[in-house]
Amino acid sequence: MAPQRMLVWIMYSALLFALHFQDTTALTKNPHCQNKCGDVIIPYPFGIGEKCYLDERFAVTCNHSTNSANLDFFGSQVFNISDTDVHINVFPVLPLKFNKTSGENSFGYIRVRYGPYFIFPRARNKLVVVACDAYAYIVDSKTKNLTSIPKDISDFTIRVHSINTDKKSWESDDCNAFFIADKEFDGFDKSSNFSNCGKDDIFEYSAPVILEWAVGNTSCKNASKTKGYACRENSDCVDAAGGGAYRCRCKRGYEGNPYIEQGCKGNA
């Protein structure tokens, strides 16, 4: 290879290395912060270690022996973090214990409150019931409307009833269960048996769900006036949770991390 072409190739290779280095370190607020745990990339405002995350809700612990990341706020394993949501193993498998007279779940209801910083997105999760003669539905705690999982829901109750209280076929079945899982979830370990829940301890399982995340508990209209406004230069505020929270994103023509200084860079 001619010397001039060799020089060009070296410069080109150095440029690619620099861009790669810039892309990975720009994920975190502090270049000394760990930005990956196993296969999971940890972008700021999430972070591993003190001064590496925005606040305690976004603290991540990396188990180096298993190469698994855990979101401390939930105490659960994280599979993926994107710029809008987290895929996390968090929702417990809950038993159905029906009241023999009313046919209603003896818990009455299960209330779920994750917001406003973590929200169940519509069309990404599903309500699962494993039972005979049972049905379940969700009640929005704010509107009291009966619903499937709607957009931006963060505070809701799950109610479960028997379909046929006369036959009461559910009375002798202690393995009835319900949980919320992401729509791509296709079951637990194949050796698990919901017909033998005592032996397989199915009620110790958790199901993976997808949660949208936000960095502030106010609307974009008010966010820029508040202390700790998280959106840095060359970024826009985006309403989440129906205006009850917000996220940030780089302006059009910019790419990078909108939560760190000079994180959004022009892509021209």
Side-chain angles (χ1 to χ4, degrees):
M1 181 180 292
Q4 186 176 6
R5 292 181 61 190
M6 177 65 77
L7 178 61
V8 171
W9 174 252
I10 292 174
M11 291 176 64
Y12 177 69
S13 299
L15 177 61
L16 287 180
F17 175 80
L19 288 173
H20 174 74
F21 183 76
Q22 183 184 61
D23 286 345
T24 55
T25 57
L27 292 171
T28 60
K29 186 174 183 180
N30 185 331
H32 300 292
C33 294
Q34 181 180 345
N35 58 33
K36 193 174 183 181
C37 179
D39 295 329
V40 181
I41 295 174
I42 313 295
Y44 191 81
F46 296 85
I48 300 171
E50 292 185 9
K51 299 182 180 180
C52 290
Y53 47 80
L54 180 63
D55 60 45
E56 296 295 331
R57 284 178 291 268
F58 302 100
V60 175
T61 299
C62 185
N63 186 327
H64 296 286
S65 63
T66 61
N67 279 328
S68 60
N70 288 275
L71 187 58
D72 296 352
F73 185 73
F74 293 104
S76 299
Q77 184 177 0
V78 178
F79 303 116
N80 182 66
I81 302 174
S82 76
D83 58 356
T84 59
D85 53 57
V86 293
H87 190 198
I88 184 171
N89 195 43
V90 68
F91 205 95
V93 175
L94 300 170
L96 294 182
K97 299 289 185 180
F98 286 110
N99 180 302
K100 295 182 180 182
T101 301
S102 67
E104 186 174 282
N105 178 14
S106 61
F107 288 138
Y109 63 88
I110 301 298
R111 188 169 188 176
V112 180
R113 303 182 71 179
Y114 285 164
Y117 295 95
F118 294 96
I119 306 115
F120 279 91
R122 180 176 61 188
R124 300 293 299 279
N125 298 289
K126 59 187 175 184
L127 177 60
V128 179
V129 178
V130 181
C132 292
D133 292 336
Y135 70 96
Y137 57 90
I138 287 175
V139 180
D140 189 318
S141 298
K142 296 179 181 179
T143 66
K144 305 304 180 183
N145 292 333
L146 307 186
T147 178
S148 59
I149 302 175
K151 181 177 175 60
D152 295 332
I153 196 167
S154 60
D155 187 344
F156 59 94
T157 60
I158 302 173
R159 295 184 182 272
V160 185
H161 294 272
S162 168
I163 294 175
N164 192 335
T165 56
D166 293 330
K167 291 185 177 180
K168 299 182 180 179
S169 60
W170 35 263
E171 286 189 15
S172 60
D173 191 346
D174 293 327
C175 291
N176 293 337
F178 69 100
F179 53 91
I180 288 179
D182 77 76
K183 283 200 170 181
E184 300 301 318
F185 176 71
D186 61 356
F188 296 103
D189 187 301
K190 302 306 179 185
S191 64
S192 302
N193 187 346
F194 274 76
S195 297
N196 194 4
C197 58
K199 180 179 178 181
D200 289 332
D201 295 323
I202 62 170
F203 299 120
E204 294 183 6
Y205 293 4
S206 292
V209 298
I210 295 175
L211 302 177
E212 289 185 0
W213 57 269
V215 292
N217 62 349
T218 188
S219 67
C220 285
K221 182 179 180 180
N222 299 321
S224 61
K225 306 172 186 176
T226 62
K227 182 180 179 180
Y229 179 56
C231 301
R232 305 295 90 182
E233 66 270 27
N234 299 321
S235 69
D236 292 320
C237 183
V238 180
D239 279 322
Y246 75 92
R247 286 191 303 271
C248 310
R249 67 183 175 195
C250 292
K251 290 181 179 293
R252 180 175 296 183
Y254 291 82
E255 294 179 351
N257 191 325
Y259 302 99
I260 61 178
E261 295 294 339
Q262 300 179 352
C264 293
K265 300 182 181 299
N267 55 21

